[in-house]
Amino acid sequence: MNTAASSSEPGVRVEIDDVQSGALRPRPVPYEGKFVFLRVDDRHAGRALLRRLLPLTASGLPSADRSQDAWVAVAFTYQGLRALGVPQESLDSFPRAFREGMAARAELIGDVGESAPAHWETPFGTGEVHIALSALSSEAAQLDKELERARVAYEDTPGVQVIWQQDVHQLPTGRTTFGFRDGISQPNIEGVGLLGSNPQEAPIKAGEFLLGYPDETGSPPPMPSPDVLGRNGTYAAVRKIHTNVAAWRRYLRANTASAEEEALLAAKMVGRWPSGAPLALAPEHDDPELAADPHRVNNFLYRENDDRGFRCPAGAHIRRINPRDSTIIGDARMHRLIRRGTTYGPPLPEGVLEDDGADRGLVGVFLGAHLERQFEFIEAEWVNDGNFIGHPGEKDPVAGHHDGTGSATIPEKPVRRRLQNLPGFVVTRGGEYCFLPGLRALRWIAELED
C-alpha cells in the first residue's frame, strides 16, 4: 500500500492507493465525462456488479502516463447501501444527513421554490438512486474505453437497472455556461502529496476530506462501522444545476451603461473575471496573463489587502464559498470542500439575450468528510444567507436561490452600490448525498453474505 505524507505533517500518512481517484484527483483540463445512476433490484446482483466494477475503479493520484488519464468512481446513496444488504448496524452508524438524503434536507440548504424536490428531475430524490458511477478523462477516446468496460459490467448484470445518465464536457470556450473559467481553487490537503492551488493556504487536515484521519478539531470525523467500511471514504453531494444564462445576461445589460461596466459588474458578482483572474489581484480589468499563471491565479488572501471588499465584494460568489482569511463568524478551514464542477448542455450563443429552451448548466460534486458542517453549512449560511458577512438577508448573487426580490451589496467609494431585484440565475434540478468508499470498503460491500 503506497502512502503519501506532507512535509509539514510527517506523521500523517494517507493511504492513497485505497482512496478512489474520484475523491482526490483534480478534474482534467480539458475533460469529457459521464454520470450514470443505477438501481439495485436484487442485492446479490448488486454485489456481483461491484465485483465486476472493482478492477475498473481507479485509486490514487494523477499519473504521468496519459494512457492512464481516465478513471471510474463508484459511490452509494444510503438507500443503495441498504439495497445491497449492508447490515442495519452499519447503516445506523452513518450520519443523519446522509441517512436522510439531500431531498429531505432541501429546505435547510435553500432548495425551495422552483428548486424544491417536487420539481426535481427523475430519479433525483425518489430513493431509487442506489449506485452512482462517474467517469472522467481528458480525452474522449479514453473515456469511451473506460465507459465501455463499465457498461459491459452493469448491462450484463440482471437485477441492476440504469435509471439516469448525464454526459458532461468542457465547452469550447473552456469556461462555464455563464462564461467564466472555473475549477481553479483546490485545497491543500496534508498527507496527500498534491499541491494546493493557493500557496498561502496552510495544509488542511486530511480528516476534513477523508474518513479515518484527524480533522481540524484534532480528532477523526465520525466514521461508519466497521472501520473497514469507513476508512479512506468520503461523502459526495452530487447536484445538477440548471443555469439561466439568458436571465444572467439580461440582468447585467439592464444594470449597466456599457460593455465595460457589464464586464465589471459580472466580475463583482462572481469575484473573478471571465479568464479566471481574481478581483483581489486584478481589481480594474481582466488579466488573462495572470489567469494563465498557475503560480499567481489563486495566490491571494483577503484580510490584508481587501478586508472591506472594495476589490472583491464580501458577498461575491467565490468569497462566499471560500472566504479564505476574511473576517467572518467561525473558522473557514472547518468548511472547506473539494469541488468538481462539470458542465453539461450546449452554450448559449454569444450575445443572445433570450432563452433558447436548451438545458444547460453544471453537475457539481462536492466532497468532504462532514456533510453537515461543510456542504450543508456553506449552502445554508454562506450561499443563501448574508449574516456571516454583515449583510443580513442577502444571498450569493450568482448561486443563491433568488425570487426576483434579492439584493447584493458592492462596496464602492464614496457610496456603496446595492443591486436590487435579483432573479434566480440557477435552478436545482436534483441532488443526492453519496458515500464514496475506499477500495477495501468497496470489496467488503461486494463480498457481503446474507
Side-chain angles (χ1 to χ4, degrees):
M1 178 69 68
N2 290 334
T3 58
S6 76
S7 57
S8 59
E9 295 286 345
V12 176
R13 303 193 70 83
V14 173
E15 297 170 330
I16 294 294
D17 283 358
D18 194 48
V19 179
Q20 289 199 50
S21 291
L24 295 178
R25 280 196 193 189
R27 189 195 65 195
V29 177
Y31 67 90
E32 299 280 344
K34 193 179 190 74
F35 291 85
V36 180
F37 286 175
L38 304 167
R39 186 186 68 227
V40 176
D41 296 325
D42 176 271
R43 62 182 180 277
H44 300 286
R47 296 170 193 165
L49 171 62
L50 297 187
R51 292 193 288 275
R52 295 187 179 102
L53 290 175
L54 260 168
L56 314 181
T57 306
S59 66
L61 300 177
S63 169
D65 182 356
R66 293 297 300 271
S67 68
Q68 304 298 315
D69 191 15
W71 60 91
V72 172
V74 183
F76 307 93
T77 63
Y78 172 80
Q79 298 297 339
L81 293 175
R82 191 165 72 170
L84 287 160
V86 170
Q88 191 62 45
E89 180 181 2
S90 293
L91 294 174
D92 291 343
S93 66
F94 280 92
R96 176 181 175 184
F98 176 71
R99 286 185 277 118
E100 292 185 346
M102 190 182 291
R105 316 276 286 184
E107 189 169 347
L108 169 70
I109 61 178
D111 282 338
V112 297
E114 194 178 358
S115 292
H119 305 294
W120 283 5
E121 182 177 318
T122 303
F124 286 105
T126 63
E128 293 197 359
V129 179
H130 293 161
I131 300 175
L133 299 182
S134 64
L136 277 177
S137 179
S138 59
E139 294 185 5
Q142 292 182 10
L143 177 72
D144 289 344
K145 181 180 177 182
E146 293 299 313
L147 284 173
E148 177 61 17
R149 297 168 68 196
R151 186 191 64 77
V152 169
Y154 57 70
E155 289 192 351
D156 285 352
T157 308
V160 176
Q161 301 297 322
V162 176
I163 57 174
W164 184 81
Q165 300 184 68
Q166 179 71 62
D167 292 322
V168 295
H169 56 271
Q170 186 173 57
L171 296 177
T173 58
R175 299 173 181 177
T176 67
T177 54
F178 281 139
F180 288 77
R181 179 185 165 204
D182 70 345
I184 297 170
S185 182
Q186 299 297 332
N188 183 357
I189 307 171
E190 70 170 20
V192 166
L194 280 176
L195 291 177
S197 56
N198 183 359
Q200 299 190 53
E201 180 181 65
I204 297 174
K205 297 292 186 182
E208 291 295 317
F209 307 99
L210 295 170
L211 303 181
Y213 304 90
D215 62 19
E216 289 289 314
T217 69
S219 300
M223 197 164 71
S225 63
D227 284 354
V228 67
L229 175 61
R231 188 170 181 81
N232 294 319
T234 189
Y235 297 98
V238 181
R239 309 264 284 169
K240 181 175 180 179
I241 306 293
H242 171 75
T243 51
N244 192 341
V245 179
W248 166 255
R249 291 178 182 174
R250 288 197 302 271
Y251 187 84
L252 296 175
R253 184 69 55 85
N255 287 277
T256 55
S258 67
E260 290 74 18
E261 286 187 13
E262 193 173 318
L264 179 59
L265 177 58
K268 289 286 187 181
M269 295 168 75
V270 173
R272 292 185 187 271
W273 297 94
S275 70
L279 286 179
L281 301 179
E284 302 295 335
H285 303 284
D286 200 352
D287 188 341
E289 184 177 339
L290 185 159
D293 186 341
H295 303 292
R296 293 197 294 153
V297 66
N298 207 38
N299 188 355
F300 65 94
L301 298 173
Y302 292 115
R303 186 174 296 173
E304 182 175 350
N305 299 316
D306 192 31
D307 199 33
R308 298 180 64 185
F310 286 111
R311 293 186 171 198
C312 180
H317 173 64
I318 69 162
R319 198 158 173 168
R320 281 178 172 270
I321 61 174
N322 181 14
R324 303 179 188 230
D325 66 335
S326 295
T327 302
I328 60 169
I329 298 172
D331 183 351
R333 293 169 60 84
M334 304 275 285
H335 308 291
R336 290 285 271 135
L337 283 168
I338 298 173
R339 301 171 185 278
R340 298 279 185 269
T342 53
T343 299
Y344 76 89
L348 187 66
E350 194 68 28
V352 173
L353 299 180
E354 297 299 325
D355 188 57
D356 61 0
D359 189 16
R360 58 177 59 87
L362 64 90
V363 176
V365 178
F366 306 90
L367 297 137
H370 302 270
L371 277 172
E372 290 185 61
R373 78 163 158 85
Q374 292 173 319
F375 173 75
E376 290 193 341
F377 179 91
I378 291 171
E379 289 294 315
E381 303 296 332
W382 289 358
V383 171
N384 287 303
D385 190 83
N387 284 332
F388 86 105
I389 58 169
H391 300 305
E394 294 190 1
K395 301 178 181 179
D396 186 319
V398 181
H401 291 303
H402 300 283
D403 60 1
T405 63
S407 61
T409 300
I410 299 176
E412 291 180 354
K413 294 179 180 177
V415 180
R416 68 185 180 183
R417 182 179 185 185
R418 181 70 62 83
L419 302 178
Q420 302 286 1
N421 303 321
L422 282 166
F425 301 120
V426 299
V427 178
T428 304
R429 287 283 167 83
E432 297 286 348
Y433 286 157
C434 297
F435 176 60
L436 190 73
L439 292 193
R440 286 196 297 263
L442 195 57
R443 186 172 296 107
W444 181 85
I445 299 169
E447 295 176 351
L448 284 171
E449 295 180 357
D450 291 339

